[in-house]
Amino acid sequence: MNTPYTASLNSIPSDKTAATGAQLHGHQMHTDYDVVVIGAGPAGLAAALSAREQGCGRILVLERDVEPGGILNQCIHSGFGLHYFGETLTGPEYAERFIEKIKEAHLTVQTDTMVLSVEPDLSRPPAGTGRTSHTVVCVSSGNGLQRITTTAVILATGCRERPRGAIALPGSRPAGIFTAGTAQRYVNLTGYLPGKRIVILGSGDIGLIMARRLTLEGAEVLACIELNPYPGGLQRNIVQCLEDFNIPLYLNHTITNITGIHRVQQVTATKVDTMRNPIPGTEINFDCDTLLLSVGLIPENELAQQAGIQIDTKTGGAAVYDNMETSVPGIFACGNALHVHDLVDYVSAEGTRAGTAAAEFCRKTGHGCAKPAATGSVALCAGPGVTGIVPQYIRYPEPAEKSGDSSCGTETGPRSSLNPSGNDGITGIRQEHPDTPGPEPITGTPAPSRTFPANTPAGTKQNGNNTFEVQKNCDDSIAVSFRVTEPVGKCCVTITDSGGTVVAEFPKRRLVPGETVRIRLPRNLFSRQQLQPGSSDPAAVPPFARQTETDWHLAGICRMPDHEEQYLTISVTGPLGETII
């Protein structure tokens, strides 16, 4: 029987074991917390740490696996942490960095625990009458059934792989068919080789990485089969995992038959037309004993659905505001449970935002006043060439934020003492991928100075004498992520308001569906004075955001019917709509 690994508020046992039952190192376990984080992967651990740094006392992290770290524990390849820690780490090394911080912060982590439901408290108590609380129901072999009350909940449950049944693969049902993540766990954690002659369906990043891993372990990877006319993973993985090992990639192909009785013996790949229908006469037979499926990831959103949270059909995760709060007040979502990421560093950064927002929610409700109702929000809509926008809504700044938040302060010190951060100074963004150029600033905005090191956090000001001044909680921009629907060369990300006016443009060199596009929108775009429905007066647009370029073809507007609030449309187009596939 697996014993739950519980990090107490005082210490973490070196052998990663803890007392079972309701006793925790001689103290009765709490059933009332400020923040409960569901999931101890990179998002959940970062969220818990952020909430503690913001002053939350009682924080509980629940994890269904036997130890924290999430999917990182089986990702033994390098490439993690370049943005967050400023160095390249393996998955277990990246996880260990956070686990050590969890120990130092004396946070409680309860593993081997399955969360059954999150029961939100939809009531809003009047000022001075108490705080809003939610109930998390979970079960474990050591602690049995638990009902835990908490002010805020952070959903960091990660994602799962799309199985064979979801794509309706034809053929028999023999042994030897695995998802790529399952094969990765077999090879890296349990030491089993799933097969000797392998075909991979789909070109997601896990499948590409497993093509290299299995080759290094002595297996023969015969081919990677991709339905789309472009690969689904990062370009660097295409090069390092397929091209470097002479593994062929068949685009516009799919598996049309699987043959085998007890074990896979052969798979048939067939070319497809533009409507994804198989083309007769183009069949290719591969004699193999194993088929790996790398056909996409799905956010784990069952708990969110049970809690009545609005789900975005494009991302598969919860719809959230810019502070990662869902449609149910006090419940936040982050990481791959929100939308599937391509880099773990951004998962951690998103968890940090969720933890900070959850702590802020606790501060407001903990003093006897419920979180004030939002004064309105702007919806972000997907225009031509765009899908999967996160966040889906951006709130108007609250009056306290407009006049200056008392929690917003500064700290000073030498640059060498800074912890690495995901963004660089002023208004620019540090290079997002080591093999691609960094994003350009908003059109019309002077390019930010690059005098700061790559690790300098956002909001850094130069004081001279090699010192820094970091504005805490004073970020004047909002991170927005989305994906493109097809590869496009030189292009422009266009932001259009509900009145049809272009308010910002982001020129880009090249975008592909396998990589998440990240831009930062200045917060002063989101004010009632600057975003008026139906307004098309150029004078009402902030001067820094408006600059006309004749070589950009501005896309049309995608209106949300019956939407009572204002919205912005994000579109991607190249010169004259030209795309590169």
Side-chain angles (χ1 to χ4, degrees), residues 40 99 103 117 142 156 217 243 280 285 287 294 305 313 343 346 356 370 386 402 417 449 456 498 539-540 550 557 566:
I99 293 173
K103 294 178 182 179
S117 66
E217 288 297 327
E243 295 178 3
N285 294 321
D287 295 327
S294 181
Q305 289 178 320
T313 57
L343 292 178
Y346 298 120
T356 299
V386 171
K402 293 179 180 179
S417 67
S449 171
T456 306
S498 52
T550 56
I557 305 168
Q566 302 171 26

Side-chain angles (χ1 to χ4, degrees), residues 81-126:
L82 184 61
H83 302 289
Y84 203 90
F85 292 109
E87 58 182 305
T88 300
L89 306 170
T90 65
E93 288 173 335
Y94 188 97
E96 188 63 26
R97 294 288 182 92
F98 277 97
I99 293 173
E100 290 299 321
K101 291 179 180 293
I102 289 288
K103 294 178 182 179
E104 295 171 2
H106 305 296
L107 289 168
T108 303
V109 180
Q110 182 176 311
T111 62
D112 197 24
T113 300
M114 176 65 71
V115 176
L116 303 179
S117 66
V118 176
E119 301 171 0
D121 181 0
L122 300 179
S123 63
R124 308 305 292 270

